[in-house]
């Protein structure tokens, strides 16, 4: 172990220490062997071990919750269990050739844009998300799913869009409104989500009242879009 003060160690430093520790040990397999196309055993081992350590954290919290011990014991034992989780995360990353520190920083940067503090930015992001996802789903939309979505528009007394991406985008907006209404209470839920989705809805020419009518077919819409995302079965060789 290095004599460097612990507070000055970065995540990369900790991973290097773990890698050194692993390289000096072996049992029935090399503790530091890389994950490759031809050998994914290290990946399987680390993923299963990580799941086991997360289970240890859950078990500790479960025992506290049922009254086996007090809060002080929970807090005193939790760091060791979390450390085990972190160690297997580090092993999983370096043995797979992943720069975990960079991956975390990249994800934090992404989350900054995904969950902005400014409400207007959140509205713009919501609109962007709808059209991006709609474009992706439209590529795998089956004829049956297209028919279900078209029927949902007709039932809502709306003219179905001719473009598949627009058809899906409206359906996605309807699902968002339906889910918000169920979670937050009927009209208040509709209105709260509508304000966020208004830019995308207006781009599609959908009013608040029309979107609410379309949202009444949320179960059929959800089923149709789920079938569009389902993987295509591989043909028999």
């Amino acid at each position: 172990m290095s004599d460097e003060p612990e507070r000055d160690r970065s995540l990369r430093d900790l991973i290097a220490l773990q890698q050194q520790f692993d390289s000096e040990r072996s049992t029935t397999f090399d503790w530091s062997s890389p994950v490759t196309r031809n050998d994914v055993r290290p990946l399987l081992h680390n993923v299963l071990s990580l799941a086991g350590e997360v289970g240890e954290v859950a078990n500790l919290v479960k025992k506290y919750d049922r009254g086996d011990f007090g809060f002080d014991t929970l807090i005193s034992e939790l760091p060791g269990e979390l450390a085990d989780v972190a160690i297997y995360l580090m092993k999983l990353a370096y043995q797979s050739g992943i720069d975990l520190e960079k991956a975390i920083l990249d994800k934090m940067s992404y989350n900054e844009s995904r969950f902005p503090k400014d409400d207007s930015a959140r509205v713009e992001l919501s609109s962007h998300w709808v059209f991006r996802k709609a474009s992706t789903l439209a590529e795998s939309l089956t004829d049956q799913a297209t028919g279900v979505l078209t029927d949902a528009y007709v039932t809502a007394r709306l003219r179905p869009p001719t473009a598949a991406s627009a058809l899906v985008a409206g359906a996605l907006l309807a699902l968002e409104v339906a889910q918000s209404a169920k979670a937050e209470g009927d009209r208040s839920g509709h209105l709260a989500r509508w304000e966020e989705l208004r830019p995308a809805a207006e781009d599609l020419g959908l009013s608040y009242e029309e979107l609410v009518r379309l949202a009444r077919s949320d179960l059929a819409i959800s089923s149709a879009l789920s079938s569009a995302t389902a993987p295509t079965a591989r043909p028999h060789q």
Side-chain angles (χ1 to χ4, degrees):
M1 297 289 289
S2 169
D3 293 331
E4 180 184 5
E6 291 187 10
R7 65 178 179 276
D8 294 331
R9 290 181 182 142
S10 67
L11 179 56
R12 286 193 180 97
D13 293 331
L14 294 176
I15 291 175
L17 287 172
Q18 183 62 45
Q19 191 167 5
Q20 178 184 347
F21 177 90
D22 290 345
S23 66
E24 297 171 348
R25 290 161 175 81
S26 64
T27 51
T28 56
F29 60 92
D30 184 350
W31 286 23
S32 60
S33 58
V35 176
T36 67
R37 186 184 303 274
N38 296 323
D39 186 6
V40 297
R41 287 177 300 172
L43 176 65
L44 298 176
H45 172 77
N46 286 328
V47 167
L48 293 175
S49 298
L50 175 61
E53 297 302 342
V54 172
E56 290 293 327
V57 174
N59 192 46
L60 179 66
V61 175
K62 179 192 72 177
K63 290 180 178 179
Y64 165 73
D65 183 61
R66 73 185 183 191
D68 290 6
F69 45 74
F71 181 76
D72 290 344
T73 299
L74 170 68
I75 296 303
S76 68
E77 294 188 13
L78 191 56
E81 300 297 350
L82 292 178
D84 287 337
V85 171
I87 285 171
Y88 275 105
L89 273 177
M90 292 190 296
K91 285 176 61 61
L92 187 58
Y94 90 72
Q95 289 180 249
S96 300
I98 296 169
D99 185 336
L100 186 57
E101 184 170 288
K102 180 180 183 300
I104 292 173
L105 291 173
D106 287 347
K107 177 60 73 172
M108 293 176 73
S109 177
Y110 169 75
N111 287 340
E112 282 286 338
S113 62
R114 186 184 178 194
F115 305 106
K117 291 180 284 187
D118 181 72
D119 286 343
S120 62
R122 187 179 74 240
V123 170
E124 292 175 3
L125 179 67
S126 178
S127 178
H128 174 71
W129 168 83
V130 167
F131 290 113
R132 183 177 61 183
K133 185 170 183 179
S135 178
T136 300
L137 289 177
E139 295 177 358
S140 58
L141 202 64
T142 64
D143 290 342
Q144 182 178 358
T146 300
V148 172
L149 297 182
T150 299
D151 289 344
Y153 276 82
V154 172
T155 300
R157 305 191 302 281
L158 300 173
R159 177 177 295 178
T162 54
S165 59
L167 186 75
V168 174
L172 288 172
L173 292 176
L175 286 183
E176 289 294 311
V177 168
Q179 290 169 4
S180 296
K182 292 174 182 177
E184 302 171 27
D186 191 21
R187 189 171 179 81
S188 63
H190 282 162
L191 291 173
R193 194 61 177 133
W194 164 251
E195 289 305 318
E196 295 182 352
L197 300 174
R198 183 193 295 270
E202 290 179 345
D203 284 346
L204 293 168
L206 290 171
S207 68
Y208 164 72
E209 291 78 10
E210 290 171 334
L211 199 56
V212 170
R213 293 203 305 268
L214 187 57
R216 292 170 186 158
S217 298
D218 61 313
L219 294 179
I221 290 172
S222 179
S223 177
L225 295 183
S226 294
S227 69
T229 63
T232 303
R234 294 182 179 180
H236 294 293
Q237 298 295 325

